Amino acid sequence: NELADLIEIRLDYLQDKNLYQDSEEILKATIEVRQKPLIFTYRSGKKESVPNRNIQSINRLLSNRTRDLAIDYFDFDLSANNTIAFHLYSTYQHLFGQSAKIILSHHNFENCDSEELFSVYNRLATLTPEVIKIASKASRLTDQLIIFSLLETAQKENLNLIALAMGEAGQMSRILAPSHGSFLTFTALEKGLEAAPGQFTLEEMHLLYRVKTISQETKVYCLLGCPVGHSMSPHMHNAALSALGENGVYLPVSIPSNELKEFVEKFLHPKTRQMKWSFNGASVTVPHKIAIQGLLDEIDPIAKEIGAVNTILVKDKRLIGYNTDVVGAIAPLKTMLNLTNAKVSVLGAGGAARAVVVGLKREGAGITVYGRDEKKLSYLMKNLGVIGKHFNESDKLNCDLLINTTPIGMQGWQSESQMPINPEALKNCGMVYDLVYNPLVTPLLQEAQKQGLPILSGLEMLIAQAVEQLKLWTGLEPSSEIMRNAVLKKLS
């Protein structure tokens, strides 16, 4: 592929070939169609029964190579049975009269243990291969700090190291590792062809995250939520940052609620962060908009009134919380409906609902909120003066406008039904607004259309609030059209 610098050939995926008998045929075939340098990898899946003998064999291999090295690489796993890999390597030498370069690798699919990984790194470094590779499963987001620490050590020692954390909790390391000195990072050719958990596609890495343009000076922005895989925000923000000519990248970070505090302390806060990067701001989404407040140094008055934060700005070594959802939610709505004295029913009582309610109140609307969480509902009733009812009562709607602020109907969201309410309840509604934007027309909006009601998609709110976020972060005016086109392209 044009976008790749090297191509890994996973020889263990060849089911219909005998790697002993057909080794010459396989190697000749791969070299003949070569577009880039190749990495030949054979993962036996078997642990080496006599580890020291394996290390001795690798050491012998490294010391007996020709001086004129080929452009290709062979990957030998330190702790695996490398019998077939050794055979293929010697076949390569015999066929092409050159020794391939060597990657010595270590994989831990269970956890990231700092002591173990540094011990392995030191052992591999003494064998002096061309490249060392360490890949370890991240159980928590902070496990990635070990990976960046290894890369820092390798840079000081002038060694070629590939280091990354596997799994969803390690995805950030796959994008940022090259800018921290990793010799390379691995991608999948396309969705469904991932060779390891957490891989992005080649297209995502190059066109969405622009990995080759990221340096340690690149300003990093994040989306903090759980889940975040469905989000269009990376497509929208990265397109806008690129169009603005900003040296910035926007990354999705899936954070379980029990890791939020630790992530803020070790990755985000300028005074306590252990990650060496130019973090400049974040978007905050479900389920962290309310909880994040207690981890910030300052909260803007509008966000304080709402009691929810959807944007973080780093300023003067402080984390400041804002809420751009008010502008985002109300601006597109005002172009379709006069909200003064309008009867509005709001589904959900979370962070998004709070922003919507504050915006509606400013426009003079009468508001009833339907929620399941009594604590959240009572907050809205007490602090924002709305009528609060249990979600079960939403079957008896009678309103000019219905707004869904729950994630029900969102792609990737698990719920019993994709409809937040009974379709019959729409009969007494004048208009339906769904803050969910993926899919563009949700099951709720489809049903509203069937009943002849005007609808508004959450896409317009998404763009409006994101424009405000980028203004806060960069001081520049982004193109809403570029952002809209990026989302529509991805959704189509």
Side-chain angles (χ1 to χ4, degrees), residues 84-330:
I84 291 174
F86 283 134
H87 169 71
L88 288 160
Y89 189 87
S90 61
T91 305
Y92 182 99
Q93 281 180 310
H94 166 72
L95 271 177
F96 307 115
Q98 283 182 306
S99 299
K101 296 171 187 171
I102 287 177
I103 299 171
L104 278 189
S105 62
H106 169 76
H107 297 79
N108 185 328
F109 292 96
E110 292 170 9
N111 57 50
C112 269
D113 179 271
S114 180
E115 195 174 317
E116 179 221 358
L117 294 184
F118 269 94
S119 170
V120 167
Y121 165 79
N122 290 327
R123 196 184 330 159
L124 292 176
T126 60
L127 296 170
T128 61
E130 276 69 48
V131 184
I132 296 165
K133 178 186 175 188
I134 293 176
S136 196
K137 168 83 184 296
S139 302
R140 299 176 67 82
L141 289 158
T142 48
D143 286 343
Q144 295 173 106
L145 292 169
I146 301 161
I147 296 300
F148 291 108
S149 184
L150 280 166
L151 288 167
E152 190 181 350
T153 303
Q155 276 194 302
K156 286 175 186 170
E157 296 174 356
N158 208 23
L159 295 176
N160 289 328
L161 172 66
I162 301 165
L164 51 91
M166 295 182 286
E168 187 178 38
Q171 283 191 313
M172 212 162 61
S173 73
R174 291 185 179 275
I175 296 171
L176 297 178
S179 65
H180 286 254
S182 186
F183 182 69
L184 55 85
T185 189
F186 287 84
T187 73
L189 269 176
E190 56 188 67
K191 285 282 183 205
L193 295 180
E194 295 86 357
Q199 277 186 359
F200 292 97
T201 66
L202 185 61
E203 190 174 304
E204 285 172 332
M205 282 293 220
H206 277 275
L207 304 182
L208 177 58
Y209 299 113
R210 307 186 309 285
V211 166
K212 286 191 174 181
T213 69
I214 299 174
S215 67
Q216 297 237 19
E217 286 71 51
T218 299
K219 293 173 182 176
V220 181
Y221 307 94
C222 296
L223 168 65
L224 313 180
C226 190
V228 293
H230 66 282
S231 178
M232 295 294 119
S233 292
H235 300 270
M236 183 173 59
H237 280 295
N238 281 315
L241 287 166
S242 180
L244 288 168
E246 283 285 281
N247 179 13
V249 65
Y250 183 96
L251 310 176
V253 185
S254 184
I255 310 182
S257 295
N258 63 351
E259 292 185 43
L260 183 63
K261 184 173 186 287
E262 185 181 39
F263 185 82
V264 171
E265 286 173 359
K266 294 185 178 179
F267 282 86
L268 306 189
H269 204 292
K271 292 179 181 175
T272 57
R273 71 169 75 132
Q274 294 173 23
M275 178 72 183
K276 293 182 178 176
W277 62 345
S278 182
F279 170 74
N280 276 253
S283 309
V284 186
T285 187
V286 177
H288 304 313
K289 289 185 179 186
I290 295 169
I292 196 76
Q293 295 174 104
L295 305 173
L296 305 176
D297 300 301
E298 184 185 330
I299 298 173
D300 177 74
I302 293 173
K304 198 172 276 186
E305 181 188 355
I306 296 164
V309 161
N310 82 322
T311 308
I312 298 171
L313 174 68
V314 182
K315 189 177 179 183
D316 302 328
K317 296 201 171 180
R318 292 160 62 76
L319 297 182
I320 306 169
Y322 293 86
N323 196 304
T324 66
D325 280 338
V326 177
V327 173
I330 303 303

